[in-house]
Amino acid sequence: MNKLDLGSFQPAELDRNAIALSDRLSALSLNDIGLMEARDGHHSRAIVYFHKAIKKSPEHAFIFSNYALSLRDLGHFADAMRLLEHAITLDNKNATLFFNLANLQYETGSLDSALASYDRAVRLNGAFPDLYSNYGLAALEAQEYALALRLAQRGLELASTSDSNYVRLTGILATIDVIVGNTKDGLNRLEDLLKTHQTPDILFEYVRILALAEPQDLSPRSLQYISQAIEERWSAPEDFVLSAWLFLVREFGFPEFNEMHEWTGLGYRLLSSALIPDLETEKWLVTQREMLFSLSDNVEFSNAEIEHYAAVAQQCYLRNYLFETTEQHTYLTSVWQEEMETALAKSGSIISAHWLVRLACLTPLAYISKSECLLLRKNENKSLDSLIKQQVENPLRERQIEKTIPRITPHESNTDCIAHRYREYPYPQWSWPGRLYRPERFNIYLAQRLGHSRFSQLKASSATRIL
């Protein structure tokens, strides 16, 4: 093996006492200390102990492997690969060595080599869940779906339900379900897991599959988890709102304040969380707005009516009010905005829920002079709180945050105009950001969306650029 120059890796924090102690220890003891440092994330310190251990006993393949794993975590992939290959020359019957090599090959984009190394590990009777989980993902990315299916099924026989690999292996099966057109089966697999475990890994897999679901793939059990996903913000609402909303509309029709059913509340949360790109929904919104605008000024709303029209107003806001606008709409906006501003200017004025929601269906409440006074309003209805938070509190916070963001490009004459346009009409209009539980392999991401269609695999390359 070529001798590695460890000079650039030498950590300053390893003091003389530690170096002196390491000189008196055996290779196995040095390896154990290196493993402890590595477990604590101190890989720069770990490789010093591994290097000293190798100098004392260069025949132990597992020390070279441990050394390589720390080098990998430090980003020294070529050196890590060379160490693992040398370890295999010392012990070519060790499944773990081939597993570690396969992981590194997969991580650096050598998919074919990784598959061969994983296969060698399996043939050497490597019977541990990590092997089947990682091999299964690589097979999935290589579009070897039958192989991925067998590996996931075998891995599940070995993994306990509390093992993170159990989730990943179930995720592989769910992904295969999606690719072959059985998204409903994939959701069922993960919903069975959610009954007893709700770890970040399971949430990641669930919202990943949920984002690909059609309305017919959902069930009442799915709606329970979607409701929880909104409440706990498992993911950006755009990932699952459309299919859930269309399922509800298909099962129960569009919501009406005087016809409540079990899932009416979820329907309103969907409306207020993300834009719903559906033509029939847009027609329904237009009808609801016109009904609201036709009511007299002194009408008193029930809680059910407030919840209903507040959700309609929030969906209008998320759509950036992209509706056909008549002269009557323009007139009403002007009149009602002036009335609202006059009322806000008077201390102690009572503004009815009806006034709030009808104006919020036409224009953002943040456009109103002294709209910040609405933040002091005590509402007995949570729907009004949500509406005011969306259209007043959040925009005010955005303006405050905006002032703290440094300008990193030279000022241009049209910058302010463009900035104003994006500020007033942001796209997409987010209610909250999604979580990044863990990175996702791009080729698997494509395979889920293209089904059985074959496509050119994205190769690991520094020249790859994706918009």
Side-chain angles (χ1 to χ4, degrees):
M1 186 192 75
N2 296 331
K3 185 177 180 181
L4 287 176
D5 177 11
L6 200 59
S8 61
F9 303 146
Q10 184 71 33
E13 63 267 24
L14 195 61
D15 58 36
R16 292 181 179 179
N17 290 334
I19 294 174
L21 175 64
S22 66
D23 290 338
R24 299 195 299 272
L25 296 175
S26 68
L28 296 182
S29 295
L30 289 167
N31 175 70
D32 290 343
I33 295 174
L35 285 174
M36 288 189 289
E37 294 284 6
R39 277 196 294 268
D40 291 337
H42 304 147
H43 295 289
S44 294
R45 295 172 62 87
I47 60 175
V48 176
Y49 290 108
F50 293 138
H51 191 71
K52 287 179 176 291
I54 286 170
K55 282 186 174 180
K56 289 194 173 186
S57 296
E59 71 279 7
H60 293 301
F62 62 88
I63 300 179
F64 281 91
S65 179
N66 294 336
Y67 191 174
L69 295 180
S70 279
L71 284 175
R72 178 204 64 189
D73 287 341
L74 289 169
H76 299 283
F77 299 110
D79 285 335
M81 191 79 73
R82 191 161 70 251
L83 284 172
L84 281 170
E85 289 170 348
H86 180 75
I88 288 172
T89 65
L90 296 174
D91 182 2
N92 64 3
K93 302 296 183 183
N94 189 320
T96 300
L97 296 180
F98 282 98
F99 171 67
N100 290 339
L101 177 63
N103 289 340
L104 186 58
Q105 290 167 333
Y106 187 30
E107 188 175 346
T108 54
S110 301
L111 184 58
D112 291 338
S113 298
L115 289 170
S117 297
Y118 283 131
D119 185 64
R120 184 68 182 275
V122 169
R123 291 176 185 277
L124 288 169
N125 295 318
F128 45 96
D130 295 57
L131 170 57
Y132 288 93
S133 175
N134 291 13
Y135 191 4
L137 284 173
L140 198 60
E141 184 162 343
Q143 302 180 39
E144 299 289 348
Y145 302 133
L147 173 60
L149 178 63
R150 291 197 303 273
L151 291 167
Q153 290 171 335
R154 174 60 180 140
L156 285 173
E157 294 173 359
L158 300 171
S160 67
T161 55
S162 59
D163 186 344
S164 62
N165 284 295
Y166 194 92
V167 177
R168 296 179 68 196
L169 291 161
T170 304
I172 291 172
L173 294 179
T175 296
I176 294 172
D177 287 331
V178 172
I179 290 170
V180 300
N182 295 327
T183 304
K184 188 179 186 69
D185 291 343
L187 287 175
N188 282 333
R189 290 182 193 277
L190 295 169
E191 287 168 0
D192 286 342
L193 273 181
L194 285 168
K195 287 190 297 186
T196 54
H197 297 79
Q198 294 195 2
T199 65
D201 275 346
I202 297 175
L203 301 188
F204 170 84
E205 294 293 350
Y206 186 64
V207 296
R208 182 168 65 90
I209 301 301
L210 189 61
L212 305 172
E214 298 291 336
Q216 61 269 23
D217 299 322
L218 304 182
S219 67
R221 182 169 69 160
S222 304
L223 296 184
Q224 292 175 353
Y225 289 120
I226 289 170
S227 182
Q228 188 179 352
I230 292 178
E231 187 71 25
E232 299 175 5
R233 301 190 175 185
W234 291 357
S235 175
E238 291 77 14
D239 290 343
F240 50 79
V241 159
L242 179 60
S243 58
W245 170 260
L246 294 180
F247 176 86
L248 288 175
V249 169
R250 184 186 67 186
E251 294 294 316
F252 304 104
F254 287 103
E256 299 293 343
F257 59 81
N258 55 356
E259 295 180 8
M260 307 291 282
H261 59 74
E262 181 183 1
W263 298 107
T264 299
L266 174 60
Y268 289 144
R269 287 196 295 276
L270 295 172
L271 275 177
S272 61
S273 297
L275 186 150
I276 298 174
D278 173 65
L279 180 58
E280 293 306 311
T281 299
E282 181 171 333
K283 293 177 180 177
W284 173 78
L285 283 170
V286 169
T287 301
Q288 298 304 303
R289 291 198 334 153
E290 294 307 319
M291 287 174 55
L292 177 61
F293 300 158
S294 67
L295 299 175
S296 64
D297 284 356
N298 58 359
V299 67
E300 291 291 334
F301 275 173
S302 66
N303 282 331
E305 289 172 301
I306 294 173
E307 184 177 19
H308 178 83
Y309 285 116
V312 169
Q314 288 185 272
Q315 181 63 201
C316 292
Y317 178 88
L318 292 166
R319 289 168 170 263
N320 282 322
Y321 299 92
L322 290 178
F323 300 97
E324 182 179 359
T325 302
T326 66
E327 291 184 1
Q328 176 69 2
H329 291 143
T330 303
Y331 170 75
L332 290 175
T333 303
S334 175
V335 171
W336 290 342
Q337 183 167 335
E338 184 177 346
E339 289 177 350
M340 182 79 75
E341 289 174 345
T342 301
L344 288 173
K346 295 179 181 178
S347 177
S349 293
I350 298 175
I351 298 173
S352 71
H354 170 218
W355 277 31
L356 279 173
V357 295
R358 73 181 183 183
L359 186 55
C361 281
L362 284 169
T363 187
L365 295 177
Y367 286 5
I368 303 169
S369 176
K370 295 187 180 297
S371 61
E372 64 274 12
C373 294
L374 293 172
L375 300 178
L376 304 176
R377 175 190 174 97
K378 300 297 182 182
N379 299 308
E380 296 180 359
N381 190 292
K382 291 183 178 179
S383 300
L384 280 184
D385 287 334
S386 177
L387 174 64
I388 292 171
K389 181 178 178 65
Q390 178 200 58
Q391 298 198 17
V392 180
E393 181 180 343
N394 288 346
L396 287 175
R397 288 183 62 197
E398 288 168 9
R399 299 296 180 267
Q400 293 168 352
I401 294 170
E402 183 180 330
K403 296 175 183 177
T404 69
I405 301 175
R407 183 186 295 272
I408 59 175
T409 54
H411 182 79
E412 298 178 6
S413 58
N414 64 344
T415 299
D416 289 338
C417 177
I418 294 172
H420 176 76
R421 181 171 182 81
Y422 277 99
R423 184 187 300 118
E424 300 305 321
Y425 303 102
Y427 185 86
Q429 181 84 267
W430 291 331
S431 294
W432 63 81
R435 298 184 192 178
L436 180 62
Y437 295 100
R438 67 168 185 262
E440 188 171 5
R441 304 290 297 193
F442 188 72
N443 290 325
I444 295 176
Y445 175 90
L446 283 183
Q448 286 179 321
R449 287 151 179 81
L450 298 178
H452 277 304
S453 301
R454 294 278 166 167
F455 59 91
S456 298
Q457 294 281 307
L458 180 68
K459 303 296 183 182
S461 169
S462 58
T464 300
R465 301 177 69 197
I466 301 171
L467 176 61

